[in-house]
Amino acid sequence: MNKVILFNFNGTIVNTKLLALDIYNRIAETDGYKKMAEEEIPYLSTLSIRDRCKVLNVPIYKMPVVGLKIKQRYQKHIPALNSVPGIHELIHELKQRGYRLGFLTSNSKDATTQFLTKNSIDVFDYKYYSFNPFSKSKDISSFLKSNGLNKNEIIYIGDEVRDIKASKKNQVCSIGAGWGYDSVELLKKGEPDFIAEEPSDILTIVSRL
């Protein structure tokens, strides 16, 4: 039986960069942090979370709180967003080839379902909803246990170094998605098993496994 292709959601399936930027800047204005310009995104995507905090004058211990605020505020916008270019085709091609598909997300179930339906990609076999966007390692572990899956059955696709680290902790094969929050350069520092610079690269990668 083909492996389960498990996607991180925000950044990998849906592009939330500009939305997160807009909401972050509103938070920065009220909380006294440095606001971020759209043209700064490529540079910031090369930095670790700790270094981003330094650039934006956000105390590192406050980053989880800022992250939760952003997550809570953009739930109402998720249903209206479009999927990452090429993701629709990738998901349907993987499905046609017999792969089982899943995702992990800290988005609300309602917002996620509306997004999937709008983008015609509500074809996932496994859906895992988490409250905490910073608990990736625990989420992967819980996903495996709750679905009776073995670590060798999973290929995890994520767009941040913390996705790669969570995969390694669970001894799961990882693919870094180079179109998301972290740059390809930064993803490589996490030493994923593979790097996909665009969604179509995933078809080539999984066909070898």
Side-chain angles (χ1 to χ4, degrees):
M1 181 178 288
N2 279 334
K3 292 180 180 287
V4 175
I5 312 296
L6 181 63
F7 291 83
N8 172 61
F9 205 85
N10 291 347
T12 305
I13 292 177
V14 55
N15 185 350
T16 53
K17 281 184 186 178
L18 294 182
L19 177 59
L21 171 67
D22 180 60
I23 294 173
Y24 164 77
N25 281 338
R26 295 181 192 181
I27 294 170
E29 191 168 2
T30 58
D31 292 2
Y33 307 138
K34 180 180 180 295
K35 295 175 76 172
M36 189 192 320
E38 184 177 339
E39 55 267 25
E40 291 180 278
I41 292 178
Y43 167 65
L44 290 169
S45 74
T46 69
L47 303 179
S48 66
I49 291 177
R50 183 173 296 277
D51 288 338
R52 289 176 200 173
C53 286
K54 290 179 181 178
V55 170
L56 298 171
N57 297 324
V58 178
I60 187 67
Y61 69 90
K62 287 196 174 182
M63 180 50 73
V65 175
V66 173
L68 285 172
K69 283 183 179 179
I70 291 173
K71 173 211 150 185
Q72 290 166 355
R73 296 184 188 186
Y74 69 39
Q75 292 310 298
K76 64 181 180 181
H77 301 287
I78 291 289
L81 297 180
N82 294 321
S83 58
V84 168
I87 279 290
H88 176 277
E89 293 80 4
L90 170 66
I91 287 172
H92 284 281
E93 181 61 27
L94 288 170
K95 193 74 174 175
Q96 187 174 354
R97 294 187 186 188
Y99 289 97
R100 292 168 289 164
L101 307 180
F103 63 75
L104 305 179
T105 185
S106 59
N107 294 332
S108 72
K109 184 175 182 179
D110 183 56
T112 302
T113 300
Q114 289 183 57
F115 166 83
L116 293 172
T117 301
K118 172 186 177 290
N119 287 277
S120 302
I121 51 174
D122 194 7
V123 296
F124 289 85
D125 304 284
Y126 304 97
K127 301 176 181 181
Y128 185 92
Y129 296 93
S130 169
F131 172 76
N132 188 349
F134 299 98
S135 60
K136 294 290 182 72
S137 179
K138 190 178 295 184
D139 289 342
I140 292 174
S141 177
S142 296
F143 173 81
L144 292 171
K145 291 176 183 177
S146 62
N147 290 291
L149 295 168
N150 185 284
K151 61 187 179 183
N152 296 320
E153 294 180 78
I154 303 293
I155 301 171
Y156 182 59
I157 304 171
D159 63 300
E160 297 182 73
V161 170
R162 60 197 183 101
D163 290 309
I164 308 306
K165 290 181 177 179
S167 298
K168 286 184 175 297
K169 192 168 183 179
N170 286 280
Q171 299 179 301
V172 166
C173 178
S174 62
I175 300 176
W179 56 86
Y181 281 95
D182 288 352
S183 67
V184 169
E185 176 188 10
L186 185 57
L187 286 171
K188 286 180 178 177
K189 291 181 180 179
E191 299 182 343
D193 294 290
F194 304 93
I195 289 280
E197 297 197 12
E198 55 187 43
S200 61
D201 292 340
I202 291 187
L203 292 173
T204 302
I205 294 169
V206 299
S207 66
R208 300 174 186 161
L209 300 175

